[in-house]
Amino acid sequence: MEKINIGKNVFIYPMPVTLLGTTVDGKANFMALGWVTRINANPPLLALGVNKVHQSSKSIEENRTFSINFPNADMIVETDYCGLFSRKDIDKSDIFEVFYGELETAPMIKSCPLNLECKLLHKYPLPTNNLFIGEIVAAYTEERYLTDGKLDMSKMNPLLLTMPDNNYWNVGEPVGKAWSDGKKFKRKE
Ligand SMILES: Cc1cc2nc3c(=O)[nH]c(=O)nc-3n(C[C@H](O)[C@H](O)[C@H](O)COP(=O)(O)O)c2cc1C
């Protein structure tokens, strides 16, 4: 098959769907965030790409704390709402029941199966976005999302995102074992 050049405005396939939690004027605020990934093993560091115009960008800089919350597939409407409307126009503090860990300005969402509580380490301004690097100081879940003490995707039922078609997806079935299946590789003669 011949390859087709589809230009360069492409994204990671797929992306996680998360809700970035910050504090604005003493109240919780959440925005939908797909551009987030783990970037260091120890300490556990995350990188986020947040547009400079978003209220959340300003709030991370102000408080130097934030949370990353993973909604489940039943939370699409609330999650998308947080991605459609800015705190600059609408107070989003009453959408979710919130709890706090050790950082006073990193609100987390009770109904999300996984919450990461983070402190800001670095900010790198890029042309449109701020690249924030944060350290995970604690992670929270509930017993019902664990199997043998580990987070179980099938119980968490997280959401995935693709752009630019802008679809939300479910996670499918596991199809292999990482750091294991590669041992079966044999070169063709
Ligand atoms: C599914 C989804 C994912 C999004 N991901 C990002 C992202 O990774 N980075 C970003 O800057 N904006 C992203 N947005 C847009 C912000 O969530 C949106 O502009 C939000 O209103 C900003 O809220 P705030 O001004 O209260 O911070 C996303 C929106 C949606 C719907």
Side-chain angles (χ1 to χ4, degrees):
M1 284 285 191
E2 205 180 314
K3 288 281 186 183
I4 305 161
N5 184 338
I6 57 166
K8 53 186 184 176
N9 190 28
V10 286
F11 302 87
I12 300 299
Y13 276 79
M15 289 173 273
V17 176
T18 69
L19 284 157
L20 169 62
T22 51
T23 293
V24 186
D25 297 335
K27 285 178 163 185
N29 186 50
F30 297 97
M31 71 159 245
L33 178 84
W35 298 6
V36 53
T37 191
R38 173 90 178 246
I39 53 157
N40 196 59
N42 194 14
L45 303 184
L46 298 179
L48 338 176
V50 186
N51 199 299
K52 290 175 187 172
V53 302
H54 297 339
Q55 177 59 51
S56 303
S57 232
K58 294 175 180 58
S59 304
I60 293 178
E61 288 188 55
E62 254 171 54
N63 299 313
R64 302 192 63 82
T65 59
F66 61 89
S67 72
I68 299 291
N69 305 268
F70 292 76
N72 66 32
D74 298 331
M75 299 172 68
I76 286 181
V77 174
E78 293 87 342
T79 301
D80 201 55
Y81 181 89
C82 290
L84 282 169
F85 299 102
S86 171
R87 172 61 167 77
K88 290 174 181 168
D89 305 310
I90 287 172
D91 181 349
K92 297 182 267 184
S93 65
D94 61 348
I95 299 173
F96 304 106
E97 207 179 326
V98 160
F99 73 99
Y100 290 86
E102 59 189 78
L103 305 174
E104 283 168 13
T105 47
M108 291 175 278
I109 301 172
K110 274 196 183 166
S111 54
C112 286
L114 176 62
N115 317 93
L116 309 180
E117 186 181 18
C118 304
K119 64 177 185 199
L120 180 67
L121 291 191
H122 304 288
K123 182 195 96 169
Y124 298 99
L126 302 175
T128 58
N129 287 23
N130 281 320
L131 167 64
F132 291 114
I133 296 186
E135 178 174 350
I136 302 172
V137 297
Y140 304 87
T141 189
E142 291 167 45
E143 195 62 45
R144 62 182 161 139
Y145 299 119
L146 300 176
T147 300
D148 298 331
K150 292 181 188 141
L151 285 163
D152 185 331
M153 287 267 279
S154 63
K155 294 177 177 173
M156 293 165 65
N157 197 15
L159 283 167
L160 299 175
L161 168 71
T162 51
M163 289 169 67
D165 57 318
N166 296 352
N167 282 316
Y168 290 116
W169 300 76
N170 273 128
V171 176
E173 298 298 312
V175 290
K177 209 70 196 160
W179 284 279
S180 172
D181 285 350
K183 294 173 196 161
K184 298 176 206 156
F185 178 72
K186 285 195 181 69
R187 272 199 179 71
K188 288 178 190 126
E189 293 301 312

